[in-house]
């Protein structure tokens, strides 16, 4: 896998239970030669959970990428005019962010960066992690599946017995999904088994 000379925007939203899965993927981008620009939602920047503290996750992001985190709408806005990102990924992408993205809402740095990427008709890759992916958020996922320049990391039900509406992407496929997206392709298969 080669990302030499590419700039990847890596955005995280508040699905804290998947952070440990996505950090190695960010490292894979760096190891493959990419310049990685970290972008984080307010929840990521301010919330401590049983999965780790905000400060710890921020420190990891900075250490892996060697870059400061874009954490405000004002910081994210220039990504559009500068056309900085070859590809942007939101991983994990919560149901809340999925809903807002599908309905053209721009109230966070992650969504502003996504809007900037779409403005430039460059690939935006979504790795969903939502407890209502087969509930009310199914309509939002469907809207994004048919949108131009938006691609998905393959996803499936992570715990159908206890959380039948929950969908989570296979985070280890994030780099591969981004490579395909830069070629204008949706990585396949899209719907996969993801039992814990």
């Amino acid at each position: 896998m080669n990302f030499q000379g590419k700039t990847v925007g890596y955005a995280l939203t508040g699905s804290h239970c998947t952070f440990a899965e996505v950090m190695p993927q960010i490292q894979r981008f760096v190891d493959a030669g990419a310049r990685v620009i970290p972008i984080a939602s307010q929840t990521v920047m301010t919330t401590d959970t049983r999965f780790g503290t905000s400060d710890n996750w921020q420190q990891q992001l900075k250490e892996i990428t060697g870059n400061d985190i874009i954490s405000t709408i004002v910081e994210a806005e220039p990504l559009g005019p500068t056309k900085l990102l070859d590809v942007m990924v939101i991983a994990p992408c919560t149901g809340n962010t999925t809903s807002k993205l599908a309905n053209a809402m721009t109230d966070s740095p992650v969504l502003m960066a996504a809007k900037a990427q779409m403005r430039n008709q460059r690939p935006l890759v979504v790795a969903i992690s939502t407890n209502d992916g087969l509930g009310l958020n199914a309509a939002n996922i469907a809207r994004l599946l048919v949108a131009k320049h938006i691609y998905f990391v393959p996803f499936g039900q992570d715990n159908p017995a206890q959380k039948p509406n929950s969908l989570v992407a296979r985070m280890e496929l994030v780099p591969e999904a981004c490579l395909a997206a830069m070629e204008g392709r949706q990585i396949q298969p899209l719907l996969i088994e993801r039992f814990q």
Side-chain angles (χ1 to χ4, degrees):
M1 187 170 353
N2 186 0
F3 282 89
Q4 201 68 43
K6 302 297 184 185
T7 301
V8 176
Y10 201 108
L12 291 90
T13 63
S15 179
H16 302 272
C17 59
T18 59
F19 289 178
E21 289 182 60
V22 301
M23 290 299 167
Q25 309 320 314
I26 300 171
Q27 185 66 58
R28 286 178 65 201
F29 280 115
V30 172
D31 292 345
R35 175 185 179 204
V36 178
I37 306 299
I39 307 159
S41 69
Q42 182 180 8
T43 301
V44 175
M45 298 300 291
T46 60
T47 306
D48 296 340
T49 71
R50 63 189 171 100
F51 300 104
T53 66
S54 172
D55 286 345
N56 178 56
W57 295 120
Q58 290 179 53
Q59 182 180 352
Q60 285 190 52
L61 275 173
K62 291 177 186 177
E63 287 177 356
I64 293 170
T65 66
N67 288 305
D68 290 332
I69 301 168
I70 292 176
S71 61
T72 69
I73 291 175
V74 172
E75 292 169 347
E77 190 278 333
L79 293 173
T82 60
K83 297 184 179 180
L84 179 65
L85 306 179
D86 294 293
V87 62
M88 177 181 165
V89 59
I90 307 173
C93 184
T94 61
N96 185 51
T97 299
T98 302
S99 173
K100 290 178 179 182
L101 184 61
N103 290 283
M105 295 178 68
T106 311
D107 65 353
S108 76
V110 171
L111 290 163
M112 177 58 79
K115 178 181 177 180
Q117 188 73 352
M118 290 186 292
R119 158 193 164 159
N120 292 327
Q121 299 183 10
R122 292 186 175 182
L124 174 64
V125 178
V126 175
I128 59 172
S129 180
T130 172
N131 285 324
D132 69 339
L134 294 176
L136 288 175
N137 235 325
N140 297 314
I141 293 169
R143 291 183 76 179
L144 295 178
L145 282 170
V146 298
K148 289 182 180 178
H149 311 294
I150 296 180
Y151 303 87
F152 277 75
V153 177
F155 60 86
Q157 291 177 279
D158 58 307
N159 189 347
Q162 296 178 338
K163 300 189 300 179
N165 288 340
S166 182
L167 295 174
V168 179
R170 289 264 303 272
M171 298 303 173
E172 72 273 15
L173 295 176
V174 166
E176 289 79 3
C178 288
L179 275 178
M182 288 191 296
E183 297 173 355
R185 294 185 299 108
Q186 170 61 57
I187 190 174
Q188 295 292 342
L190 176 60
L191 300 177
I192 49 87
E193 287 190 10
R194 197 200 187 282
F195 299 159
Q196 288 181 335

